[in-house]
Amino acid sequence: MAMRRWKMAYTVIYFIRHLVSLSKKDLDSQTKNLGSPSYVAIDVHDDTSPRENKFVSLIIVDQRTLIDMVKEKSLEILNQLGGVLQVAVILETDIKDGVGEVDVAHRRDVFGENSYKKAPSKRFLSSVLEECKDPTIITLLFCAIMSLGFAIKLHGLRDGWYDGGSIILAAVHLVAVSAISKFMKSNQFEKLSRVRNDIKVQVVRDGRQHQISIFDVVVGDVVYLNKGDQIPADGLLLNDSSLKVDESSMSSEMGHAEVKGRDNPFLLSGSKAAEGNGFMLVTSVGMNTAWGEMMSSRSHDLDEQTPLRSHLDKIISYMRKVGWTVALLVLAVLLMRYFTRNTRDDSGHYEYNGSKTKINDVLDPVVHIIVAAVTIVVVATPEGLSLAVTLTYLYFMKRMMKERVMVRELSACEKMGSATTIIIDKKDILTLNQMEVVEFFIGEDIIKAKPSSGEIESKVLELLQEGFTSILEISGSPTEKAILSWAMSHLGINIGEEKKKVEIKHVENFDPEKNGSGVLLVRRNNEKVVRHRKGDAEVILAMCSNYYVRNGEIRDVNEDARKQLKEIIRSMAVKSLCCMAFACKEVEEGGQASDELEAFGFTLLGLVGLKDPYRIEVRTAVESCKNAGVKVILVTGDDVRTARATAIECGVFSCDQEDVESDAIVEGVQFSNYSREQRMERIGKLLVMGSSSPSDKLEMIRCLKEDGHVVAVTGGGTNDALALKEADIGLSMGIRGTEVAKESSKIVILDDNFISVVTMLSWGRCVYNNIQKFIQFQLTMNVAALVINLISACSSGVLSLSAFQILWEKVIIDTLGLLAVISHDQPSKDLMRKPPVCWSKRPINESIFNNILIQVFYQAVTLSALQFTVGKSILDLAINNTLVFNTSVICQVFNIFTARLPVEKKSMFMWIRKNKRFLAAVLVVTVAQGVIVELSSKVTNSNEKLDRKQWCVSLSIAASSWLFDQLARRLILPKISFLGS
């Protein structure tokens, strides 16, 4: 390393001395060659250290000029530098072989990384300080300070800190839970943002194409861009063909800007390739791009407010209001009882004796009453709900990544479990993406898999070879690769030789409106200009006035011939084959490359039938969706007959349904021509839409949403972007999907497999179900504590549970109970047999509400009876307080089991599953409670321990909550409804 630095230093010194010694003539010559007065590059040859000299030449590149050139789209600067190819020379890039792998690290050091600085994320301390501003926390701390002051003055520090300290710890608990929840959400979204932005791009390095992360792109890289790709950095278009880009992310202007090799070769980072393909030369990356500057200055709101979170915020707000109401009521009752001489001290004397009572003696019980009332607020606040959702989502997203699903927006977690309709496309998610040629026709004659010599006339074979080579090499889609591979092996095409025979003048990229693509070329042997077309068979056939037969004869496409050719196309469609056609025609020599390709006068060369094998598990996945009450609709651009065959093969509907064709199948054009009323009438019956355009698909989504459906849509192409955005859940493809589609979607299916969609569906329901369980558990505990303390305050003038006891119960039950209730259950088969639950509805349904009431009623009655009647008759007061506290906590332990039951289940043993986390959490709660009861007399307000009999009483009362719950579900609830459905 040291030797290398010495060599670098020597080279720099040598370079400077050599520069000074240059004559003005040599300097002018160098400058003229580079075409820029602001840039000078001189080759310094040193046989001992060639690598270091190369690095020096990159170090002196005028980066500012290159950066401004692309940002300002300045042709003047580009011309001064000598054009695109000269910029490649300046950056020492071989436009065919790209840069070398050994140079990447140095280029990153010189020009920077392809990443941008983000606004600093909120720190944990900031979240803590933000939570401390809450009025509830401020009130708790104020009361705690008052309690500490008076209690320590009267009882000393050793015995006077318990109540005030308990409230401080309760406030700390509330702040910590909320702050941790927000901090975890912030980190979660940061990780999600990193994954979302980690786009894969194709670069040429050392003469080979590599797929790398967008963060690994360096200045000088040659990047291959295809339709739908994101521009990874600022750069210049290398090839002469045009490329249309969507720059709406960089400016407010809508529409597509055309990038041309000479007139406008500038490509901006963050833009999307809307049409065409080509190679770009990277000139600046990261913070040196306009995209980097914009993203670094943008404030990112990572706290996504999902529908479920909105519902939970309302629940928390409502419970706080209830808590403050009950607290004020308790405060009023206790103060009235105190000042009306209805309370006595431990010696049996009245605590208040009017004017005889000293002020200090009055303030102490009054502060104690205020502390007791404020403690009610702590009881009522269900702060664990927010943490429960955060932990659930964290686990859910990690689990989904293992299942090859990337969640880009958290609202999709909730909505996916509520989906009622899934719109799928064959090419996106049902097939293996392994196209193969099954049938090939020339005219009305089918050609064998391996035609014998002379079976196809040489002139026809030459035209096919010419067309296949010139058109199919353009985009390299699976369809085109399959045809080209078949042509090479069966028709003897030599790509290298065929490319030498022609000169391509103009390329017409695939147009979804015309459903085809084309090329204009010149034959080098006779200078004839020829147009070739490829695309949907029926579209190409409509453009043809003649067709070849295999013996080389040209025949007119008369009415009979057209009927016969259409029958061949129809027969392929019935077999679920994708039928494509090839055609050509000679044009006048003076035809301009930019002219639109005429849609008539072509000669049909051949018909190709392709098939992409379906995934084995597709039928099972579709059946699972049907069983879950989710409707599956096939929407495809294929012919309606092909679409029907595909739907039958995949199980979307059965072929023995008599009215299936009239009610369930429609063509895209036909659906778009319907009136509004006709669409809404038909939308509930549709299962297949064939020959559809992106606008047809978009209209179907809107109609389904208007009809009350929660719609999920799969898509991978650039044209699917609007549909993915319009749907409630957009599902893009990770392998075949374009970056435009991924950016428009909420979920990315990384393996392009429909079974992953079903997995996402089941996990979405599981997440919602787990959160419902914790809501039931949390609210049962909070409401029960409120009712019990209210009854206790009104009847005896004291609270059943002290501040310290309430804090202990909330910490141990909220934290460990949370882990036990939402202990990451796996999706059950029962969940996939139920109809979807709408995500926009409140999570507390009638069943959950009734279960909460059952448990609250049982705990309030039994604990009140234990405290005021049964307990006092069989136990002394000290033991009774301990028993009430212990029984209350054990009741919450059994409440964990009740909450984990599916809310509709009536058997209390149906919940049992092998879940180590659940069992561990329950065990820790039980052991911790036993330890605190047996060892801490201050917590239990008693110097006595519970014996076995008293422990059995606690366990029996708590366990009986199960029996009461089952009896209420079976006998009471079927007759009485507490909440309308």
Side-chain angles (χ1 to χ4, degrees):
M1 190 66 179
M3 181 62 69
R4 182 178 176 181
R5 290 177 179 175
W6 277 109
K7 288 183 177 180
M8 176 68 78
Y10 172 81
T11 303
V12 172
I13 296 172
Y14 179 84
F15 167 75
I16 295 174
R17 294 183 63 184
H18 186 74
L19 180 62
V20 173
S21 65
L22 285 174
S23 65
K24 186 177 183 300
K25 180 179 178 180
D26 292 333
L27 185 59
D28 291 341
S29 176
Q30 293 283 353
T31 307
K32 183 178 180 181
N33 289 337
L34 294 172
S36 173
S38 62
Y39 173 84
V40 178
I42 301 175
D43 290 333
V44 180
H45 299 284
D46 183 358
D47 295 335
T48 61
S49 55
R51 294 283 305 156
E52 284 75 3
N53 290 333
K54 184 176 181 180
F55 289 163
V56 170
S57 61
L58 286 176
I59 291 174
I60 64 173
V61 170
D62 187 356
Q63 296 186 46
R64 189 73 259 167
T65 299
L66 297 177
I67 294 169
D68 294 340
M69 174 186 67
V70 179
K71 282 185 180 180
E72 300 170 7
K73 296 186 177 181
S74 174
L75 285 172
E76 180 181 356
I77 297 178
L78 179 62
N79 292 332
Q80 288 178 357
L81 292 175
V84 176
L85 297 182
Q86 188 61 35
V87 172
V89 174
I90 293 172
L91 295 175
E92 299 184 6
T93 298
D94 188 312
I95 61 174
K96 291 185 178 180
D97 295 339
V99 301
E101 288 286 355
V102 294
D103 299 332
V104 171
H106 180 68
R107 289 176 181 271
R108 188 178 293 113
D109 292 337
V110 174
F111 300 104
E113 295 184 349
N114 194 30
S115 59
Y116 54 87
K117 298 178 182 178
K118 297 182 180 179
S121 57
K122 186 181 294 186
R123 297 183 178 181
F124 179 71
L125 183 59
S126 301
S127 300
V128 170
L129 294 176
E130 184 178 336
E131 290 299 318
C132 288
K133 298 177 183 179
D134 188 272
T136 301
I137 302 300
I138 295 174
T139 304
L140 287 175
L141 293 176
F142 177 75
C143 293
I145 293 172
M146 290 179 58
S147 176
L148 280 173
F150 283 99
I152 292 174
K153 180 180 179 181
L154 292 176
H155 306 292
L157 180 61
R158 181 176 180 181
D159 296 326
W161 70 271
Y162 297 113
D163 285 344
S166 299
I167 297 178
I168 292 177
L169 291 176
V172 171
H173 173 69
L174 292 175
V175 169
V177 170
S178 299
I180 290 172
S181 178
K182 290 185 177 181
F183 184 70
M184 291 176 68
K185 280 192 293 184
S186 178
N187 286 345
Q188 173 184 357
F189 284 115
E190 287 288 352
K191 293 178 182 178
L192 176 60
S193 177
R194 178 73 181 182
V195 173
R196 287 169 57 173
N197 294 330
D198 189 9
I199 299 169
K200 301 302 179 184
V201 296
Q202 293 284 344
V203 300
V204 180
R205 288 180 179 173
D206 291 326
R208 294 178 296 175
Q209 282 200 16
H210 301 268
Q211 187 179 61
I212 64 172
S213 168
I214 191 173
F215 303 122
D216 295 331
V217 173
V218 296
V219 171
D221 263 330
V222 175
V223 180
Y224 175 69
L225 299 174
N226 204 350
K227 180 180 178 181
D229 288 346
Q230 177 172 316
I231 312 299
D234 285 0
L236 302 169
L237 185 65
L238 285 172
N239 48 307
D240 292 332
S241 61
S242 62
L243 181 73
K244 290 186 177 180
V245 297
D246 178 6
E247 296 181 350
S248 58
S249 59
M250 298 295 300
S251 64
S252 58
E253 297 182 4
M254 302 302 291
H256 297 158
E258 188 171 7
V259 178
K260 295 183 178 180
R262 295 180 181 177
D263 300 334
N264 178 31
F266 307 105
L267 293 165
L268 296 177
S269 175
S271 305
K272 305 290 191 304
E275 292 183 22
N277 49 58
F279 290 91
M280 71 168 286
L281 172 68
V282 176
T283 58
S284 52
V285 296
M287 292 301 298
N288 291 328
T289 66
W291 176 257
E293 292 178 357
M294 183 179 69
M295 294 302 292
S296 63
S297 62
R298 180 179 295 177
S299 176
H300 299 280
D301 184 12
L302 299 175
D303 191 4
E304 181 185 353
Q305 188 70 1
T306 66
L308 181 58
R309 287 184 183 276
S310 298
H311 285 302
L312 294 182
D313 288 343
K314 292 179 182 178
I315 293 174
I316 294 172
S317 176
Y318 178 77
M319 287 300 297
R320 281 186 176 179
K321 292 178 182 178
V322 171
W324 279 109
T325 302
V326 174
L328 293 175
L329 180 60
V330 168
L331 178 64
V333 170
L334 294 182
L335 288 176
M336 289 178 60
R337 288 180 62 87
Y338 175 77
F339 287 110
T340 56
R341 301 182 67 187
N342 284 309
T343 58
R344 298 175 183 268
D345 57 22
D346 296 337
S347 302
H349 301 104
Y350 292 113
E351 290 186 319
Y352 179 73
N353 291 310
S355 59
K356 297 179 180 179
T357 308
K358 297 180 180 180
I359 295 178
N360 287 340
D361 294 336
V362 172
L363 288 177
D364 181 54
V366 168
V367 169
H368 186 76
I369 290 173
I370 294 174
V371 169
V374 171
T375 304
I376 299 294
V377 180
V378 180
V379 175
T381 306
E383 72 281 350
L385 292 180
S386 180
L387 183 60
V389 174
T390 300
L391 291 177
T392 302
Y393 283 164
L394 279 172
Y395 176 76
F396 174 77
M397 295 181 65
K398 291 179 180 178
R399 182 60 190 237
M400 285 298 94
M401 286 300 293
K402 292 181 180 179
E403 299 289 347
R404 307 294 296 156
V405 176
M406 183 179 73
V407 180
R408 300 183 73 251
E409 294 184 14
L410 288 185
S411 60
C413 303
E414 304 162 12
K415 293 182 180 180
M416 193 63 201
S418 304
T420 60
T421 302
I422 300 178
I423 297 177
I424 59 176
D425 193 333
K426 179 184 72 173
K427 69 178 184 299
D428 290 329
I429 203 165
L430 300 181
T431 61
L432 295 171
N433 198 25
Q434 298 173 359
M435 298 292 289
E436 58 180 355
V437 176
V438 177
E439 294 182 353
F440 179 59
F441 282 82
I442 295 181
E444 298 95 347
D445 299 327
I446 187 170
I447 304 301
K448 298 177 182 179
K450 291 186 178 181
S452 57
S453 178
E455 186 174 352
I456 303 176
E457 203 273 335
S458 60
K459 182 180 179 180
V460 179
L461 186 59
E462 289 175 1
L463 288 172
L464 286 170
Q465 292 174 337
E466 182 180 82
F468 285 171
T469 303
S470 59
I471 295 182
L472 296 180
E473 69 173 350
I474 300 303
S475 65
S477 68
T479 300
E480 296 182 341
K481 288 178 181 178
I483 298 176
L484 189 58
S485 176
W486 176 85
M488 291 172 62
S489 59
H490 295 82
L491 300 183
I493 289 181
N494 187 317
I495 297 178
E497 293 297 325
E498 293 297 329
K499 287 176 66 176
K500 294 178 182 179
K501 296 179 181 178
V502 298
E503 179 186 354
I504 295 177
K505 290 293 186 181
H506 178 71
V507 175
E508 182 185 11
N509 295 302
F510 180 79
D511 186 346
E513 298 296 330
K514 299 177 182 179
N515 215 349
S517 59
V519 66
L520 179 71
L521 57 84
V522 179
R523 293 174 183 153
R524 298 184 188 276
N525 59 349
N526 55 18
E527 298 299 323
K528 287 186 177 181
V529 182
V530 183
R531 297 187 188 275
H532 279 272
R533 290 283 302 178
K534 170 211 49 124
D536 180 82
E538 291 193 348
V539 174
I540 298 297
L541 179 60
M543 300 168 60
C544 296
S545 55
N546 305 288
Y547 69 99
Y548 276 102
V549 294
R550 62 182 178 184
N551 63 4
E553 180 184 350
I554 299 179
R555 297 180 183 176
D556 293 334
V557 181
N558 53 35
E559 185 175 347
D560 292 337
R562 191 175 299 276
K563 183 178 180 181
Q564 182 64 27
L565 292 171
K566 283 188 174 182
E567 182 60 27
I568 294 174
I569 297 172
R570 190 197 68 81
S571 66
M572 290 187 185
V574 171
K575 299 173 187 175
S576 188
L577 300 182
C578 174
C579 187
M580 298 182 63
F582 289 80
C584 70
K585 72 173 180 178
E586 293 185 2
V587 296
E588 294 183 2
E589 189 172 347
Q592 298 296 320
S594 58
D595 291 343
E596 294 186 3
L597 305 182
E598 295 90 344
F600 60 89
F602 281 83
T603 300
L604 183 67
L605 293 176
L607 300 171
V608 182
L610 301 102
K611 187 174 183 65
D612 191 355
Y614 296 100
R615 299 178 185 270
I616 300 175
E617 61 272 20
V618 164
R619 285 191 71 92
T620 304
V622 171
E623 193 64 30
S624 297
C625 289
K626 290 182 177 180
N627 293 336
V630 180
K631 183 179 180 181
V632 180
I633 302 177
L634 177 66
V635 178
T636 176
D638 291 343
D639 178 84
V640 68
R641 295 180 293 268
T642 306
R644 181 182 184 276
T646 300
I648 293 174
E649 189 170 351
C650 295
V652 173
F653 64 81
S654 176
C655 59
D656 57 3
Q657 292 176 259
E658 295 181 358
D659 61 338
V660 72
E661 291 196 33
S662 59
D663 292 338
I665 300 179
V666 69
E667 285 190 343
V669 176
Q670 182 184 359
F671 182 78
S672 296
N673 291 334
Y674 283 154
S675 65
R676 190 73 181 170
E677 293 75 16
Q678 287 176 319
R679 289 178 192 167
M680 297 308 299
E681 181 182 355
R682 188 79 181 275
I683 196 67
K685 303 176 183 178
L686 286 180
L687 294 174
V688 178
M689 180 188 285
S691 303
S692 67
S693 65
S695 59
D696 300 330
K697 190 175 185 178
L698 187 63
E699 187 60 37
M700 171 178 274
I701 295 170
R702 290 171 177 168
C703 290
L704 285 168
K705 291 176 67 176
E706 187 176 340
D707 198 38
H709 291 265
V710 179
V711 185
V713 174
T714 68
T718 304
N719 297 324
D720 293 323
L722 291 178
L724 291 168
K725 288 182 179 179
E726 182 68 26
D728 294 300
I729 313 109
L731 303 159
S732 63
M733 304 299 103
I735 299 175
R736 282 177 275 187
T738 63
E739 291 305 324
V740 173
K742 294 175 185 177
E743 191 69 24
S744 304
S745 65
K746 293 180 174 64
I747 297 172
V748 180
I749 308 299
L750 299 177
D751 58 0
D752 291 10
N753 196 336
F754 187 57
I755 198 70
S756 296
V757 177
V758 180
T759 301
M760 180 74 187
L761 182 69
S762 62
W763 272 97
R765 294 188 177 192
C766 183
V767 164
Y768 193 85
N769 189 52
N770 279 348
I771 293 174
Q772 279 187 314
K773 291 176 184 178
F774 187 73
I775 291 174
Q776 176 180 324
F777 164 76
Q778 175 92 86
L779 293 186
T780 298
M781 183 185 72
N782 289 17
V783 175
L786 276 177
V787 173
I788 293 168
N789 280 286
L790 180 61
I791 294 173
S792 175
C794 294
S795 58
S796 67
V798 296
L799 298 183
S800 299
L801 304 176
S802 68
F804 209 122
Q805 290 171 343
I806 290 174
L807 172 65
W808 169 258
E809 187 170 331
K810 284 189 69 67
V811 171
I812 192 68
I813 297 298
D814 268 13
T815 306
L816 296 176
L818 166 63
L819 298 178
V821 174
I822 58 167
S823 53
H824 312 321
D825 289 342
Q826 304 294 315
S828 65
K829 294 182 180 179
D830 291 336
L831 280 176
M832 292 301 288
R833 295 193 186 102
K834 298 174 186 176
V837 178
C838 184
W839 55 268
S840 60
K841 292 184 178 180
R842 55 177 179 259
I844 304 178
N845 56 29
E846 181 181 2
S847 180
I848 292 176
F849 187 81
N850 290 339
N851 292 340
I852 292 174
L853 287 183
I854 291 171
Q855 288 297 313
V856 169
F857 176 80
Y858 176 82
Q859 291 184 30
V861 170
T862 55
L863 293 178
S864 297
L866 186 63
Q867 182 177 8
F868 301 117
T869 58
V870 179
K872 286 186 177 181
S873 63
I874 62 176
L875 301 169
D876 60 45
L877 182 60
I879 293 295
N880 186 49
N881 290 338
T882 304
L883 186 62
V884 171
F885 167 60
N886 190 55
T887 305
S888 175
V889 174
I890 301 300
C891 277
Q892 305 314 323
V893 174
F894 280 89
N895 183 33
I896 295 175
F897 286 82
T898 304
R900 272 182 54 83
L901 285 169
V903 292
E904 292 83 5
K905 291 291 182 183
K906 296 184 178 181
S907 173
M908 64 180 178
F909 298 106
M910 292 297 293
W911 60 269
I912 298 177
R913 296 174 184 168
K914 295 180 180 179
N915 195 316
K916 295 179 180 179
R917 293 180 182 177
F918 169 74
L919 295 176
V922 171
L923 181 62
V924 170
V925 171
T926 306
V927 172
Q929 176 62 17
V931 171
I932 203 71
V933 168
E934 293 300 311
L935 299 182
S936 180
S937 61
K938 294 298 181 183
V939 174
T940 59
N941 293 327
S942 171
N943 292 320
E944 303 291 336
K945 298 180 181 180
L946 297 181
D947 57 24
R948 293 182 181 178
K949 179 180 178 181
Q950 292 154 355
W951 267 100
C952 289
V953 171
S954 293
L955 291 172
S956 298
I957 292 174
S960 297
S961 63
W962 267 3
L963 179 60
F964 184 79
D965 181 80
Q966 298 305 308
L967 291 174
R969 293 193 195 192
R970 292 175 181 271
L971 302 178
I972 301 176
L973 294 184
K975 300 178 181 179
I976 301 176
S977 178
F978 295 99
L979 181 68
S981 57

